[in-house]
Structures are given as C-alpha cells and as structure tokens.
Amino acid sequence: MEILITGVLLGGTYALIALGLTLQYGVARIMNLANGETLVAACFGAWLLFTAAQISPLWGLLIIAPLGFVANGLIYAGLLRPLVRRAVTQGALEVDAILATFGLLFLFEGAMHLIFGGSFFNYQFLAVPFELLGESYALNRVVAFAAAAIISVLLAFFLYRTRFGTAIRAVAVDPDAARLVAIDVEFVALFAFALGGAITACGGALLSTFYTFEASMGGIFMIKALIIVIMGGVGDVRGAVLAALILGVIETLVASLVDPGLTLTATYGLFVTILLFRPQGLFGGAAG
Amino acid sequence: MTRSEGLTLFTAAAAFAALAALPFVTEGFYLTLAVNMALYIALCTAWTLFSGPTHLVSLATAAFFGIGTYSVAIGIEILPFPLLILCGGVAGALFAALVGAATLRVSGAYFVIFTLGLAELTRQVVAYLQTKVFGSMGLFVLTDHGEGDLFRYLLGLIAAIFLVGWLIGRARLGFAMRVIGNDEVVARHFGIEVARSKVILFMVSGAFIAMVGAIMAPRYAYIEPQSAFNPTMSFLVVIMALLGGTRRLWGPLVGVVPFTIVADFISANFPDHFNVIIGLAFLAVVYLLKDGVTGAIEQALGRRRRAASVTGEGRA
C-alpha cells in the first residue's frame, strides 16, 4: 500500500510532464525530444526563485509556466515551423523534427551544464512528514501531487469543455479535416506546442520540490515522458494520466522490492515492450 | 565492370595500400587521430548501408559496438583476436536479426525512438549483469596490439564494408532497397519482400558495426558498459553520416574527416562545450545541409550542368 501511494504520488508529476509532450506530439505533430530540457530548466528556475527570492515553488508556477509557454512558442515559430512547411510527407517531417530537437536537446543540455555545472541540486521545501492512511509521506510530494492533479483537471476542462479546446482536439484527430471546418491549424499547432511547454515546465517546477536534479537529466525524463505518451496513446489526455500513474507505481515497485539499480532497466524494458506490442497505446488507439 | 569502375577500384586499392603504411611514418598524436577517423569512417559507412537507402535513422550503433567489444572481452583468453572479430560480427548480425524482426512492427519516428531505447536497455542490462551477477565493474582485454595494428585492422574492415556496399548496390537487394526507400507501397506491389530485405541489410550493417567494436576492444584494455555502450557514439555517427550525405556509399567519408578533426580540437580545448557543439552541428545539418555535403555539391553541379545545357541549346 505504501509503495502504491508513493508510486501514485510520483506518477502525478510524471503525468504533467507527459501531458506536455502529448500535446506537442499529438497536436503539433512534433516529437519534441528537447521536452526534457524544458523540465530541467523549470527545475533550475524554481530553485533560483526559491533560494534567491524566497518565492514558494507553487507561486513560482505563475512565473515559470508563462516563461515555458513563451519559450516553447518561440522555438516552434522560429525553428520547427520552417520544417513543417518544407516537409513533403509526414514521415520526412518526423525524422527532421527528431534530428532538430535532438540538436536542441544537446544544445540546451550543454548550455545548462555550462551555467550550473554537473553537480546535484535540491532545496528544502515543505520537507515535513504528512500522515496518510497510517503511513507518513513527505508533505512536498503530496502537495506536488495535488498541484499536478489540479493542473491536469484544468487542462482536461479546457480541452473537453471549451470551444478552443475542442479545436485543439480536432487538429489532433485530423489536421486536414480541421482546416475544412475553418480551424486555423497553424495557430492551433503553435498554441498547443507552447501550452505543452508550459505544462511540462509546471511538472519540472513541482518535481524540483522533492527530487534531486542536475543539468543532464533531461534525456532520461524525456524517455519517461515518451513511454507514458506512447503507453497512453498519442494525444490522449486521460490515457497519459493513467499511464503516468502506472509508470510511477512500476518504478517504485522495482526500486523497493527488486533492486534500486534496476529502476532504469525497468523503465527502458517497459518502453521497448510497449513499442513492440502496443505502439498504438494501451487503451485502444482512438486518438492520434 | 566498366572502365571507370575499374579505375575507381584501382585508385581505392592504391589509397588503402598507401594508408596501410601510415603507422610506419607516424605515431602518437597523428596515428591516434587516424585511428579515430578510421573508426568513424567504418561506423558511419556501415550505418549508411542500412539507414541511407531506407531513410530509417538508427540510434542503436552503440548497442552493436558494445556487443562487438564484449565478444572480444569474453573470449580473449580462449580464442585468437582475428577470430574474435568474426565472432563479434556474427553476434552483431544475430542481434540485428532479432531487433530487425521486432522493429518490423514500428515505423518512422518510432523506429528512431525504439533503437535509442533498445541501446539504453542493452547498456543497463549488461551493466546490471556485470556488477550483480559477475561481481566486477569490467573485463580486461590485454593484447600486444598497438594503435598501428588497430589502424590496419580498421582499414581492412573499411575496405570490406565498401566492397560489400558496392556489391549490394549492384545486386537485386540494392535495387530493391532503392525502390523501398523511394516508395514502400510501390515496392510491395512489385513483389519485393520489404521486410526481409530490410532485415538482411540491417544484419549486414549491424555485423560490421559490431566488428568495429571488436577491433577497438584492445584500445580500451578495460571494458566496462559505460564506455563500450556509450550513447554519444550513436549520435556522433548519425551527425557525421548525415553531414557527409547518405545517398552515396562514400558520402559519410566526406563528413567524418573534417568532423573528427574539429571534434578532436574541441574536446581537447573546450571539453565543456562539446554538447553545445554537437547540438549546433545537428541543427546545421537539418537546416542547412539537408542532403549532406555531397548532396549539396551534386545539386550545385546539377544546376550548372542544366544551365550549360540550356545555353548550349540556345546556340544550336
């Protein structure tokens, strides 16, 4: 039970990170491998705000999320849209986008390494025990989970209950058909990419409250987000949330019952297995 | 064989013979640089054998390389080194067959991600087995092969890769691959066995990469998963090959030679900036040199030829 709750608490933050990626890949059709770098940048942002200006990471979200939105929007408009326009086929675009975002991944990772060095960072935020069903958990994990849940619900509300949200989902299903019903596909793609960046940045800021981070961990988190996105089905919000909770629980299970050294192996093993047997996602493949 | 092909073959043979004498002339820094260059020429050309015609970007280079290195590390006490290189090649081909059979289900972007995940998984599994089951960090490969010997082995392998690549290009398989690369649906309608052709080519490419890994084992002397399965190698191979261009067999060569020199200079003088430079190189290849240097040159030549033919017609 303790493992289950710890796993779910961890999965809440994973869900945010993956929701960001699923918006970027599902709607804007860009497999953004530099997504993990947005996350790491947000970790450092939250850390800076907390240590230098004593701003709580929760309030910090109000600064970090817009920054993530603008930064990702600029990346899309400046670097990725030219690729979309020049692409002959969907396949060519995917390969181009992967290579370009790999470049960004290395670039940003190298830059953050230069600025912050290779050491590990963490800070003390709400590091007090919290009682839940007779067991105690760190309060910062619980708060991060609650914040992640609120943001996910807001996002789901936006996507499923507003007109613009519906337009975003329409583009995810079929860009050509969306164009026929007078949806500005280019703008929606830009907006979804930027929004995805903002959501991932929120995930990063929340993650930093309970996780020791360093400049070069973006790649691993990108892989985790990818696993969740593919497991949940590309562009599927509810699938991504469920898949994130599953990954959180599996990681915690392996770390506490089998061997902490095998956590990464389990992650990659799960990844390869999912790609092989359920590339359309665990829950059918209605979306994407 | 046409006359120009014969000439190319002769020139190539002469160049290889000249290069084989290099270890007598120089040692130390330049020989090490030459080995690095030969290493990446072999890797990139072998990579291009598969990824060039199919347009499928594989990031599993490090996995094959590591398999080759480990084949040598495990067998060095029992078998002679040249035989182990062949064993590494066989192991690589088997692994490629497994992976290839599995990846038939995934396509496009998923293939790239899949190979990346697979390479990382292999590294994690090998690291875990080694520390937990065998109780050591790594394995020793102690031989009396110096850099000069490794250089000659690599040269021989490069010659083999080019020869095989050239033969494939002339054979039914090469033609099939060109059709598949242009349009898979058309290829299927022609009766080409798309899946089988891809797997065979992936095996050839994987076997060669594993053999490169096997040859390099004595250089490391102490084999551990982090160095044998180094993921940076997979990325470097992709950049260099794409930089040179993957439409011609010798395209990667054009990318590797300048890139190794620059990379060596950077890692010696600005080690902290290495990732930034790799990132910029990736972006430059994607945005500026879509078909690589050789592609750009061919395009420029084609434009000139077209311009020349237009003016020629005008005069007539």
Side-chain angles (χ1 to χ4, degrees):
Chain A
M1 194 63 204
E2 194 188 346
I3 294 170
L4 209 62
I5 293 181
T6 315
V8 168
L9 290 180
L10 181 64
T13 318
Y14 282 176
L16 273 193
I17 303 163
L19 281 178
L21 187 66
T22 206
L23 274 176
Q24 295 185 328
Y25 186 51
V27 182
R29 310 278 157 148
I30 300 283
M31 177 84 86
N32 181 15
L33 301 182
N35 188 51
E37 304 313 312
T38 302
L39 167 99
V40 179
C43 284
F44 280 112
W47 171 78
L48 269 179
L49 286 176
F50 188 74
T51 50
Q54 281 83 45
I55 296 173
S56 139
L58 294 178
W59 291 113
L61 288 181
L62 294 179
I63 302 170
I64 290 169
L67 278 181
F69 189 88
V70 172
N72 277 270
L74 286 178
I75 288 174
Y76 184 80
L79 287 173
L80 300 172
R81 198 185 267 164
L83 292 183
V84 177
R85 287 193 178 146
R86 113 182 158 188
V88 191
T89 62
Q90 183 63 28
L93 171 63
E94 289 200 337
V95 172
D96 269 358
I98 282 185
L99 293 175
T101 53
F102 257 129
L104 292 176
L105 187 157
F106 278 110
L107 187 63
F108 292 142
E109 185 178 316
M112 281 192 280
H113 209 90
L114 282 179
I115 300 170
F116 296 104
S119 50
F120 289 86
F121 288 81
N122 66 351
Y123 56 92
Q124 299 290 316
F125 172 71
L126 296 180
V128 288
F130 178 78
E131 290 282 325
L132 197 70
L133 297 176
E135 301 280 354
S136 63
Y137 303 91
L139 181 59
N140 48 26
R141 281 179 185 253
V142 179
V143 169
F145 177 79
I150 292 171
I151 295 172
S152 306
V153 169
L154 284 178
L155 179 69
F157 179 81
F158 168 65
L159 287 179
Y160 287 89
R161 290 282 178 274
T162 65
R163 206 177 153 78
F164 193 59
T166 310
I168 291 179
R169 286 188 296 127
V171 174
V173 174
D174 190 337
D176 292 329
R179 202 167 279 128
L180 287 180
V181 291
I183 292 172
D184 185 349
V185 174
E186 271 207 350
F187 176 73
V188 167
L190 168 69
F191 184 84
F193 194 87
L195 182 65
I199 302 277
T200 301
C202 289
L206 292 176
L207 184 77
S208 72
T209 61
F210 63 88
Y211 194 91
T212 306
F213 54 96
E214 43 115 11
S216 57
M217 71 175 195
I220 287 171
F221 273 89
M222 177 270 287
I223 296 267
K224 286 182 183 179
L226 262 181
I227 300 171
I228 296 166
V229 167
I230 293 168
M231 191 154 67
V234 175
D236 184 346
V237 171
R238 286 166 288 197
V241 171
L242 257 176
L245 298 182
I246 293 174
L247 182 71
V249 171
I250 288 181
E251 277 193 356
T252 321
L253 269 177
V254 172
S256 45
L257 294 184
V258 188
D259 188 327
L262 274 181
T263 318
L264 264 186
T265 317
T267 311
Y268 286 120
L270 186 67
F271 182 47
V272 169
T273 322
I274 294 274
L275 270 183
L276 278 183
F277 297 106
R278 297 289 300 179
Q280 73 276 42
L282 280 184
F283 313 104
Chain B
M1 196 186 294
T2 63
R3 221 177 124 197
S4 77
E5 273 174 335
L7 194 68
T8 316
L9 206 64
F10 178 76
T11 327
F16 273 109
L19 280 171
L22 189 75
F24 296 116
V25 188
T26 174
E27 48 189 52
F29 174 74
Y30 288 103
L31 185 57
T32 307
L33 190 65
V35 172
N36 277 342
M37 227 177 255
L39 162 68
Y40 277 103
I41 288 172
L43 286 177
C44 292
T45 315
W47 182 87
T48 306
L49 281 185
F50 174 76
S51 296
T54 56
H55 305 298
L56 287 169
V57 174
S58 159
L59 286 173
T61 308
F64 290 113
F65 187 88
I67 284 171
T69 315
Y70 263 86
S71 308
V72 172
I74 292 167
I76 193 72
E77 305 275 313
I78 316 160
L79 293 168
F81 184 57
L83 206 59
L84 282 172
I85 298 177
L86 285 180
C87 289
V90 172
L94 287 178
F95 188 66
L98 270 177
V99 177
T103 46
L104 296 180
R105 297 155 185 251
V106 290
S107 60
Y110 280 8
F111 182 83
V112 187
I113 310 295
F114 179 85
T115 50
L116 174 69
L118 187 83
E120 286 298 289
L121 178 66
T122 319
R123 176 166 71 125
Q124 299 287 344
V125 169
V126 171
Y128 180 79
L129 285 180
Q130 190 155 57
T131 46
K132 293 292 152 92
V133 181
F134 300 104
S136 70
M137 284 305 288
L139 295 165
F140 283 101
V141 173
L142 299 173
T143 59
D144 44 10
H145 290 296
E147 291 277 271
D149 297 322
L150 300 187
F151 183 69
R152 277 192 211 102
Y153 273 118
L154 283 174
L155 269 188
L157 190 65
I158 291 170
I161 295 172
F162 271 102
L163 202 64
V164 169
W166 181 68
L167 287 175
I168 288 177
R170 290 169 60 94
R172 285 167 65 96
L173 182 63
F175 183 63
M177 284 328 288
R178 280 195 292 278
V179 180
I180 293 172
N182 285 332
D183 195 327
E184 218 174 291
V185 181
V186 171
R188 210 166 279 137
H189 281 275
F190 273 177
I192 294 172
E193 285 192 63
V194 175
R196 209 184 53 142
S197 313
K198 276 189 191 169
V199 171
I200 292 176
L201 209 61
F202 197 50
M203 284 172 69
V204 173
S205 162
F208 277 129
I209 295 174
M211 283 162 86
V212 180
I215 292 175
M216 293 311 286
R219 191 196 226 190
Y220 293 123
Y222 188 64
I223 312 289
E224 48 169 8
Q226 305 310 335
S227 60
F229 290 95
N230 184 1
T232 313
M233 175 176 280
S234 306
F235 292 109
L236 284 178
V237 165
V238 175
I239 305 176
M240 289 189 212
L242 291 179
L243 177 66
T246 56
R247 291 193 177 174
R248 294 271 175 278
L249 195 57
W250 46 269
L253 196 77
V254 184
V256 172
V257 175
F259 197 96
T260 355
I261 296 172
V262 173
D264 186 78
F265 176 76
I266 291 166
S267 55
N269 295 300
F270 312 98
D272 295 339
H273 295 70
F274 198 69
N275 274 352
V276 177
I277 306 285
I278 293 186
L280 289 176
F282 252 118
L283 292 175
V285 167
V286 175
Y287 289 99
L288 304 176
L289 289 165
K290 212 172 156 247
D291 296 315
V293 175
T294 51
I297 292 172
E298 266 171 25
Q299 223 170 28
L301 284 181
R303 220 176 289 136
R304 230 164 99 202
R305 213 170 295 146
R306 233 171 297 137
S309 70
V310 166
T311 49
E313 273 165 27
R315 232 176 293 138

